[in-house]
Amino acid sequence: MRIGIDLGGTKIEAIALSPTGEEIARRRIATPRDYAASLEAITTLVRELEQAAGGTGTVGVGIPGTVVPRTGLVKNANSTWLNGQPLGRDLEHRLGRPVRLMNDANCFALSEATDGAGAGARVIFGVILGTGVGGGIVAGGRVLAGANLIAGEWGHNPLPWPSDAEQPGPPCYCGKRGCIETWLSGPGFERDHAQFTGRALSGPEIVQAAARGDPDASRALARYHDRLARALAGLINVLDPDVVVLGGGMSNIPGLPEATTALLARYLFAAGASSEPVATRVVRAAHGDASGVRGAAWLWSDG
Ligand SMILES: [Zn+2]
């Protein structure tokens, strides 16, 4: 059996999967906001799952950051109490077995590539459109982590082909302006709508208003579709994946994969000038919110 842990900023999810990927047991708790309590919580979750499943399992953990291979220390986690900590070593010591750690967006991509919306594809790009914008690449069934461990972090590239009104773009927490994340995250979508209308609505409220035919909300949604198509076209020009899998809260917008696909040919290299259909499929995640934790379990798919 494979155990996956998704160490999120607000909750920790834990799952036990059978060798064929069926869910055997699952737990969810609020994330403690300090390091020692997080270690304790993960250890307890593993024990509880093993008790419920009646066996022991491999353990993979998805984290909101990366582990520096040379030192084994966590970096770039927005759950800042993890940064600088030897999370893998500490968990291995407590659980008495090897533990694999991986960035949570990479876990999402691995889950969808293994038995989700990208199953059977050679190269998939997994996209998280949530509070932030992240991504992960799986090629030939393996996560491509990258030399700087930032492969797939397209959220901090600039929005391609910006209009005058989109420049220089909103400031991003990373220190730059106009990052894709500042346009395509949930908060980015809400800010854009509020700027045009002077009304502060939540993302779901804007989507509902657009469905009722509200012209301002419909225009905000159309801008979102167009920006997502531009951002994906820039990515496809480099990676040319077989499948782009959309996840995160914003991926639940009805019709998002279809609307984006229809706009891709306008931006993709040469595709606009040829009659060839775009070969890359843009699809919604098959496992929804469970993809992160399932991908963490699949970190041990080779052993
Ligand atoms: Zn940024």
Side-chain angles (χ1 to χ4, degrees):
M1 135 178 119
R2 298 184 178 96
I3 292 173
I5 306 283
D6 186 13
L7 181 48
T10 55
K11 60 186 188 310
I12 304 178
E13 302 242 28
I15 199 170
L17 295 183
S18 76
T20 50
E22 279 94 38
E23 179 179 325
I24 304 171
R26 183 200 280 258
R27 294 283 187 279
R28 172 193 282 206
I29 60 164
T31 305
R33 301 187 73 81
D34 81 78
Y35 182 64
S38 297
L39 284 179
E40 193 57 45
I42 293 169
T43 310
T44 304
L45 284 168
V46 169
R47 299 236 163 87
E48 283 180 11
L49 286 178
E50 292 187 333
Q51 209 151 34
T56 58
T58 56
V59 178
V61 183
I63 61 167
T66 54
V67 177
V68 181
R70 190 173 51 81
T71 60
L73 304 180
V74 176
K75 73 164 186 178
N76 292 351
N78 53 10
S79 305
T80 50
W81 56 93
L82 299 176
N83 287 324
Q85 300 288 354
L87 178 62
R89 276 202 296 278
D90 285 342
L91 285 176
E92 288 183 346
H93 178 71
R94 281 164 178 259
L95 293 167
R97 74 195 88 173
V99 172
R100 290 182 181 173
L101 269 59
M102 181 67 80
N103 172 264
D104 48 13
N106 290 351
C107 288
F108 166 80
L110 181 60
S111 164
E112 292 296 325
T114 303
D115 66 351
R122 286 162 304 172
V123 177
I124 88 144
F125 185 66
V127 169
I128 306 280
L129 301 168
T131 314
V133 171
I137 299 164
V138 175
R142 292 192 154 277
V143 171
L144 183 74
N148 299 286
L149 304 173
I150 56 171
E153 292 291 357
W154 71 316
H156 298 280
N157 282 358
L159 180 71
W161 304 288
S163 68
D164 288 345
E166 287 169 338
Q167 284 178 306
C172 183
Y173 78 90
C174 76
K176 303 201 172 59
R177 297 189 74 110
C179 289
I180 286 170
E181 173 164 311
T182 67
W183 297 107
L184 296 181
S185 64
F189 178 53
E190 292 165 5
R191 185 211 60 245
D192 179 69
H193 174 267
Q195 232 158 31
F196 271 80
T197 62
R199 280 177 295 135
L201 297 185
S202 71
E205 285 170 340
I206 301 167
V207 172
Q208 283 159 20
R212 287 195 307 269
D214 178 283
D216 287 334
S218 300
R219 279 193 283 270
L221 198 54
R223 287 194 296 276
Y224 189 87
H225 292 155
D226 188 72
R227 287 167 183 153
L228 180 56
R230 277 185 268 161
L232 288 181
L235 173 106
I236 294 169
N237 278 349
V238 177
L239 184 65
D240 205 1
D242 300 283
V243 183
V244 173
V245 184
L246 306 180
M250 295 297 287
S251 74
N252 295 320
I253 294 175
L256 187 64
E258 297 77 10
T260 309
T261 300
L263 292 165
L264 266 184
R266 193 179 291 181
Y267 297 110
L268 214 53
F269 173 57
S274 86
S275 56
E276 285 293 300
V278 177
T280 301
R281 291 187 294 126
V282 181
V283 296
R284 193 175 279 118
H287 294 299
D289 293 343
S291 249
V293 73
R294 292 181 65 90
W298 287 124
L299 289 175
W300 286 92
S301 60
D302 60 342

